[in-house]
Amino acid sequence: MKRNFEQERGYLERVDGTSYRIKKGFVPNMNVEGLFYVNDKLEKLILDELRNYCRAPSDRGGFLPAVKQIGNVASLPGIVCRSIGLPDVHSGYGFAIGNIAAFDMSKPEAVVSPGGVGFDINCGVRLIRTNVTEKDLADRKERLTQALFDHIPVGVGSEGIIPCKPNDLEEALQLGVDWSMREGYAWPEDKEHCEEYGRMLVADPTKVSSRAKKRGLPQMGTLGAGNHYAEIQVVDEIYDKMAAKKMGLDRKGQVCVMIHSGSRGLGHQVATDALVEMERAMGRDGIQTNDRQLACARIQSTEGQNYLKAMSAAANYAWVNRSSMTFLTRQAFSKVFGASPDDLDMHVIYDVSHNIAKIEEHLVDGQLRQLLVHRKGSTRAFPPHHPLIPVDYQMTGQPVLIGGTMGTCSYVLTGTEKGMRETFGSTCHGAGRALSRNKSRNELSYETVLQNLYDRGISVRVASPKLIMEEAPDSYKDVTQVVQTCHDAGISQMCVKLRPVAVVKG
């Protein structure tokens, strides 16, 4: 039975200045409590979403507010500790975007859910530094922006220029960045600076459908559309000098390139295929969820294992995709500046995923357990001295890349011990939507959005100008408040602020 807002609000308890607890009973059958991080400035958005839901008629499509979705995830079999929402959390498919949940691998009832990964498997962010300065861009910015736009295929139906035959695709799905290195599209050190070293070892290309492969074959090395971008940025503020120096980001005005993309149509098809299989498996195994979009399967079931192997292959594809675009970015810079990428110091700082499920070890009730951690719209943020981060960052913690909205600042954070304890070593992934895509299209003008960017000195190249209304800054939360909340909560630490000077989008 639907409750009014005040009744729903009674299940939410403010813990401190950066978090709320979601008590059991907020939704049916909760196995654990929920928790979401939000400061005073972001609190209104998440509570207004719940308030509007309470006012809406009961037949309002499939809409659920993010806080309800966090509660529904807390009802899944085998979940441990709590279902967690980050400050950029917003309504998604099944899981909210910005939702973390971990499942105990030792429990036979524990599940894996494609809705906890998302349709764009291993959508993620890569940051490339350079020794170019903002002053060096003075008379080259437009040429450089155009060169990036010319080199990197963008847009909804874009096709890659990286040669890729069916056999190449099979090997890329298996090998990830190792394939890119072998083919000459990546430097050996690029691999060292990728989460999972750019390769999920359990990947099995035979578990990826022929339809998914058909969709992925022509898209190798493409940016796509939506919220994906290649952005030229400059170091604007440095908060942690030691960590920034370790990353080679220790000079204000230093130019970087941030690439945000994922597994394109291949990953989307892998998720779609798995959801169909899992709906059948749920009936067979008697699994019930609060939301049909939370279709899932026992981790150790055939369906669960098939998905994990196919998801891992799609994740490998995404790393190859970002590696291919790194190769093309290096070419564009080399062409404009007349120097080799090595001479331009075009090294990968890090590459992180924010849509993935991975087997990791974490402390639960004082005991080390093997968990399947779902991160949907959230970024891994491991602390200093963790064995799974590169030697370069052992003293500082893992770099965490937080992309802003089109034309707003981005951030580099580092992981913390507190985050390891409270959020399974995870933090936010971006700004998080404040308006739906449909509402953005209805309320914003693409001419106005473009003009605002030009007025701020940001060069823009877009394949579909009308789509940029969906990605306008007004469509999103304030990324600075999102990052500040994570910093104040201690689950990650602010290191560097990056300001955009040029953006390339689909």
Side-chain angles (χ1 to χ4, degrees), residues 406 437-455 458 460-475 503 505-506:
M406 184 177 59
R437 284 184 163 83
N438 188 51
K439 196 168 185 180
S440 298
R441 285 193 297 270
N442 292 336
E443 294 187 4
L444 301 171
S445 154
Y446 76 89
E447 294 94 345
T448 303
V449 174
L450 282 174
Q451 190 59 51
N452 287 341
L453 293 171
Y454 285 125
D455 289 346
I458 299 172
V460 184
R461 297 293 186 279
V462 290
S464 307
K466 292 186 179 181
L467 290 181
I468 70 167
M469 289 110 70
E470 300 177 7
E471 305 306 321
D474 291 346
S475 300
V503 60
K505 289 186 68 70

Side-chain angles (χ1 to χ4, degrees), residues 222-238:
T222 64
L223 193 63
N227 62 347
H228 296 156
Y229 58 79
E231 196 165 86
I232 302 170
Q233 305 170 337
V234 297
V235 174
D236 196 49
E237 297 287 344
I238 298 172

Side-chain angles (χ1 to χ4, degrees), residues 47-339:
L47 294 182
D48 278 354
E49 189 181 50
L50 179 62
R51 183 182 285 106
N52 292 337
Y53 168 76
C54 291
R55 289 173 180 164
S58 58
D59 60 350
R60 188 181 171 186
F63 166 79
L64 277 177
V67 68
K68 280 284 187 182
Q69 292 187 309
I70 295 169
N72 284 338
V73 169
S75 306
L76 290 173
I79 188 170
V80 296
C81 296
R82 62 190 72 86
S83 172
I84 302 164
L86 294 161
D88 50 345
V89 71
H90 56 285
S91 182
Y93 184 92
F95 279 57
I97 298 166
N99 201 169
I100 309 157
F103 299 81
D104 191 335
M105 298 285 292
S106 68
K107 294 183 178 180
E109 70 272 21
V111 297
V112 57
S113 175
V117 172
F119 283 93
D120 193 1
I121 295 166
N122 191 5
C123 182
V125 184
R126 173 176 290 215
L127 186 63
I128 306 156
R129 74 176 188 233
T130 77
N131 57 19
V132 176
T133 67
E134 190 171 13
K135 288 182 180 178
D136 297 329
L137 290 181
D139 58 349
R140 291 186 174 100
K141 188 169 71 172
E142 290 299 330
R143 278 176 57 209
L144 184 59
T145 310
Q146 187 63 46
L148 268 184
F149 188 71
D150 291 341
H151 279 72
I152 300 175
V154 302
V156 177
S158 56
E159 293 193 359
I161 58 173
I162 300 293
C164 187
K165 297 176 181 177
N167 189 56
D168 295 316
L169 179 62
E170 294 287 332
E171 293 179 344
L173 292 173
Q174 183 74 61
L175 299 174
V177 169
D178 288 337
W179 181 86
S180 300
M181 286 172 52
R182 190 189 73 188
E183 299 299 317
Y185 300 120
W187 298 352
E189 67 183 56
D190 292 352
K191 175 181 176 176
E192 297 298 315
H193 289 171
C194 283
E195 182 177 347
E196 292 296 314
Y197 301 102
R199 180 182 180 185
M200 298 280 276
L201 296 176
V202 299
D204 184 349
T206 67
K207 304 303 181 185
V208 178
S209 70
S210 57
R211 185 173 183 185
K213 291 173 182 175
K214 184 177 180 180
R215 292 181 67 179
L217 188 61
Q219 294 183 331
M220 186 81 79
T222 64
L223 193 63
N227 62 347
H228 296 156
Y229 58 79
E231 196 165 86
I232 302 170
Q233 305 170 337
V234 297
V235 174
D236 196 49
E237 297 287 344
I238 298 172
Y239 308 105
D240 185 334
K241 291 183 179 179
M242 184 184 83
K245 188 167 185 176
K246 280 289 183 183
M247 297 176 201
L249 286 177
D250 52 344
R251 291 175 295 123
K252 283 191 177 184
Q254 180 181 351
V255 171
C256 306
V257 180
M258 183 174 280
I259 297 172
H260 176 207
S261 191
S263 51
R264 305 287 277 114
L266 183 141
H268 194 285
Q269 192 63 49
V270 165
T272 302
D273 294 340
L275 287 167
V276 173
E277 279 193 15
M278 289 186 181
E279 283 192 4
R280 291 196 294 262
M282 288 173 68
R284 180 196 67 207
D285 296 337
I287 301 173
Q288 294 186 337
T289 63
N290 291 345
D291 181 0
R292 187 168 176 246
Q293 293 183 356
L294 288 172
C296 55
R298 309 281 186 218
I299 295 173
Q300 303 302 341
S301 69
T302 300
E303 294 81 6
Q305 289 297 302
N306 284 349
Y307 172 68
L308 286 173
K309 292 171 183 177
M311 180 211 70
S312 297
N316 288 345
Y317 178 94
W319 276 310
V320 170
N321 195 34
R322 291 197 287 275
S323 292
S324 300
M325 285 186 281
T326 300
F327 171 79
L328 297 170
T329 298
R330 286 167 172 160
Q331 283 192 324
F333 268 74
S334 185
K335 179 180 179 181
V336 171
F337 288 97

Side-chain angles (χ1 to χ4, degrees), residues 283-482:
R284 180 196 67 207
D285 296 337
I287 301 173
Q288 294 186 337
T289 63
N290 291 345
D291 181 0
R292 187 168 176 246
Q293 293 183 356
L294 288 172
C296 55
R298 309 281 186 218
I299 295 173
Q300 303 302 341
S301 69
T302 300
E303 294 81 6
Q305 289 297 302
N306 284 349
Y307 172 68
L308 286 173
K309 292 171 183 177
M311 180 211 70
S312 297
N316 288 345
Y317 178 94
W319 276 310
V320 170
N321 195 34
R322 291 197 287 275
S323 292
S324 300
M325 285 186 281
T326 300
F327 171 79
L328 297 170
T329 298
R330 286 167 172 160
Q331 283 192 324
F333 268 74
S334 185
K335 179 180 179 181
V336 171
F337 288 97
S340 72
D342 193 43
D343 288 339
L344 293 170
D345 192 37
M346 297 191 72
H347 297 279
V348 172
I349 290 171
Y350 210 59
D351 180 304
V352 289
S353 169
H354 50 234
N355 275 3
I356 206 161
K358 293 194 303 183
I359 298 170
E360 298 173 356
E361 289 188 337
H362 291 272
L363 282 172
V364 178
D365 298 328
Q367 293 186 333
L368 197 62
R369 296 195 194 176
Q370 195 174 60
L371 308 178
L372 181 64
V373 182
H374 293 61
R375 294 188 181 95
K376 181 180 182 180
S378 60
T379 312
R380 194 187 77 173
F382 281 176
H385 313 301
H386 195 286
L388 293 182
I389 61 176
V391 173
D392 314 36
Y393 304 132
Q394 281 292 307
M395 300 301 292
T396 61
Q398 178 207 306
V400 181
L401 311 177
I402 308 301
T405 62
M406 184 177 59
T408 66
C409 58
S410 296
Y411 288 86
V412 182
L413 315 179
T414 51
T416 66
E417 287 289 350
K418 187 177 182 185
M420 200 68 184
R421 294 192 304 270
E422 292 192 0
T423 62
F424 306 105
S426 312
T427 192
C428 62
H429 86 301
R433 294 199 74 88
L435 297 178
S436 69
R437 284 184 163 83
N438 188 51
K439 196 168 185 180
S440 298
R441 285 193 297 270
N442 292 336
E443 294 187 4
L444 301 171
S445 154
Y446 76 89
E447 294 94 345
T448 303
V449 174
L450 282 174
Q451 190 59 51
N452 287 341
L453 293 171
Y454 285 125
D455 289 346
R456 292 165 55 200
I458 299 172
S459 299
V460 184
R461 297 293 186 279
V462 290
S464 307
K466 292 186 179 181
L467 290 181
I468 70 167
M469 289 110 70
E470 300 177 7
E471 305 306 321
D474 291 346
S475 300
Y476 284 84
K477 299 176 184 179
D478 182 347
V479 68
T480 298
Q481 290 302 321
V482 169

